[in-house]
Amino acid sequence: MYDKNVKISNVRRSFLMRKKYTAATRKLKIPTWTNPLKFLSQHEWTGDSIKLPNRRLGRHDFKPNAKFSGPANSYLLQCNQQEEQHSIVLNPPVNQSVAAILLGDGHEAKLWPLTKRRSAAAIPIAAKYRLVDAVVSNCINSNITKIYVLTQYNSTSLNSHLSKAYTSAGLGKDGFVEVIAAYQSPDNHNWFQGDADAVRRCLWELEDYPVTEFIILPGHHLYAMDYQKLIQSHRGNKADVTISALASTKNQDKGFGILQVNSENRVLQLIQEIETTSPKEKEDESLDPSSMKFASMGIYVVNKDVMIRMLREYFPGANNFRTEVIPGIISLGLKVHAYTHEGYWENMGSIKAFYEANMESKRSTNMGYNYFDTESPMYTMPRCLPPTRVTDVVITDSVIGEGCLLNRCRIIGSVLGHRTRIKDGAVVEDSVIMGSDIYQEDLDRRNTQGMQTTVPIGIGEGSFIRKAIIDKNARIGKRVMIINKDNVEEGSREADGYCTNEGIVIVLKGAIIPDDTIL
C-alpha cells in the first residue's frame, strides 16, 4: 500500500502509483485536455479532494471567478461534461465532407442606396469589416474550408474583397474561397433568376467535388454560429434537408418564412411572411396541434444527392428555395428537419436594422454580435494602414477604424471606418461614417490635370452630423448640418447626394455636400 501523504513528485517516479492514479482518474473522469499526472501534480491532493488555485476561468471552463469545493470527482465530472459539450467530432470531418455555398447577391435586402454600387454582402460594417466576413468567418471557425460564393448583383466590390481577404487565411492547404459569377451559356441566355436557379446553374462545378453535404448560406447576415453543430444535428436525424431557425419568432424578421415543426423537429410546413400569406399558405389545421413555430434563417444543409435530384428532377424550373423548393420537398415527403439557433442573428433586411447593428458594435453589452471573441474571430482583408491620429479630440462610446485623421472634433456614440477624416470643430453623434478608400492627398497627387476639388473627402470644419450613415468617399463641406431638420421618414434626393430611410439620413457613396448645407 502507499502513503496518502506521499509527495506528488515521488508519485511520478513510482510505477505502482501511476497505476493507482490511472485507475483514479478513470473513476474521476479527468478531462482529455490535460495529462492526469500533470493535473494532479499541480494541485494539492488529499485523498478524495483537490484544492484548486483561485484563477479566472476561460469561456470553455465555467462561470468567471468560479470557486469549487467538495469532492474532486464533482469538479472533474463538470470539466468532462463541459469538454463534451464543446468538442464536436464528426465522421467524416466537415473539412473533408461539407462545402459551403454563399449567396452573395442579397438583392432581397432593402438596403438601398447602400447597394447602389455594391451587393449587400459587400457593405462595410463596424468600422473594419464587410457583412460577408461574418459568414465566411463562421465557415472557417466551423472547420468548413471549401467555400463557393455565387455572385451576380453589383458584384465587383464583393469579388475584389473576397480575392484579397481569403487567399489563405485559416483555410489550410486544401481550403479555398472560390467565386462563381453569374454567366450566360449557349443553352441558357439568362442570368441567375434566383438562389435555387443560381445553385442549379453551378451544379456542374459543385457536384464534381467529393462532399456529402452542402450548406447554403445568405452572404449578408450578421451572426456567429458553429455550423458543426448544425451538421451534427442533420446527420443525427438522418435528414435530407435541415433548416436553421431562430428559437423564437417574437420580434424577429420573418422574411424567410415560418417553420411549423413537430416534437421530433421535423418540418411540417413552411408558412410564408405573415403579412403576405395567401389562403393556400395559411397554417394547415390538420397538422399536429402540438407543433411549434420558428422563424427560418434561410440556412439550409442539403445532402449532395438530394440537392441534385431536387433541382434537376423534382423542381427543374424552380428559381427560389424559400417559396418553391422547400415547400415542394416537404409536400413530397422528404425528411426536412429544423435546427434552432438561440444566439444573435440579424437579417439586415432594412436600413434601420443595419444602423442598429452598427450601433450595437460600440456598446459593451452582449446584446449584439461579439467582435471581440478571440476564440471565434471575424476575419477580413488585412490593410497596411497607419494608426489613427487623434489631435485634441473628445471621443465617447465609439468605435474608430484604422488610419483615421481626427482633429479637434467631438465623436459621440458613433462608428468611424478606416481613413475617416474629420476636421476642426466638427461634431459626429450617433452616426455611421464608412470612411474612404483613399486619402485626399493621394487623390490630389494622382490628379494629373491639376484640378483640385473644392470639397475634399471627409467631414469639413464646423459640420454637425446626427443619426446618419455617411457612405464611403463622401465629401461633407464646411458648416454642414445633417440632422433631418424636417423629421422626414422617407425621402429620396439622390440627385442631391442623399436619401432618408426610416428617419435616418444616408449620404451616398462619393456624394458632395456643399458648404453650409442643411439636411
Side-chain angles (χ1 to χ4, degrees), residues 256-268:
F256 289 92
I258 303 298
L259 303 178
Q260 192 165 358
V261 181
N262 67 11
S263 58
E264 297 178 348
N265 279 342
R266 184 156 182 175
V267 178
L268 306 176

Side-chain angles (χ1 to χ4, degrees), residues 342-358:
E342 297 183 354
Y344 172 83
W345 176 78
E346 179 51 64
N347 180 22
M348 297 298 172
S350 67
I351 287 292
K352 184 177 181 180
F354 173 78
Y355 173 82
E356 290 297 336
N358 275 279

Side-chain angles (χ1 to χ4, degrees), residues 184-343:
Q184 295 173 308
S185 61
D187 58 340
N188 193 331
H189 296 284
N190 296 320
W191 300 106
F192 295 160
Q193 301 301 302
D195 52 8
D197 181 60
V199 174
R200 181 191 301 109
R201 297 272 299 277
C202 296
L203 279 177
W204 61 270
E205 172 76 15
L206 304 174
E207 65 183 341
D208 289 339
Y209 214 88
V211 298
T212 57
E213 296 105 353
F214 291 107
I215 180 168
I216 301 174
L217 305 164
H220 62 284
H221 295 178
L222 182 65
Y223 62 100
M225 183 176 180
D226 187 350
Y227 298 139
Q228 293 181 103
K229 296 180 181 179
L230 173 57
I231 302 296
Q232 185 180 45
S233 173
H234 175 79
R235 293 178 180 177
N237 292 321
K238 297 182 180 179
D240 296 311
V241 178
T242 298
I243 305 174
S244 184
L246 298 170
S248 172
T249 60
K250 185 178 180 180
N251 298 326
Q252 294 291 354
D253 193 301
K254 303 176 180 62
F256 289 92
I258 303 298
L259 303 178
Q260 192 165 358
V261 181
N262 67 11
S263 58
E264 297 178 348
N265 279 342
R266 184 156 182 175
V267 178
L268 306 176
Q269 184 183 13
L270 174 61
I271 307 169
Q272 303 303 328
E273 289 184 75
I274 301 300
E275 293 79 9
T276 58
T277 300
S278 65
K280 292 183 179 180
E281 293 173 333
K282 289 183 179 179
E283 183 178 341
D284 189 344
E285 296 180 357
S286 65
L287 299 177
D288 184 355
S290 64
S291 61
M292 300 171 290
K293 299 183 184 67
F294 303 98
S296 171
M297 297 171 67
I299 297 173
Y300 313 107
V301 177
V302 188
N303 293 340
K304 179 181 177 180
D305 58 331
V306 174
M307 175 87 82
I308 294 171
R309 290 202 310 270
M310 73 182 189
L311 292 179
R312 285 182 175 167
E313 299 176 20
Y314 303 154
F315 310 103
N319 293 327
N320 189 276
F321 279 109
R322 174 177 61 86
T323 59
E324 299 172 89
V325 176
I326 300 301
I329 61 174
I330 294 173
S331 65
L332 289 176
L334 273 69
K335 290 191 68 176
V336 181
H337 279 254
Y339 170 85
T340 54
H341 173 68
E342 297 183 354

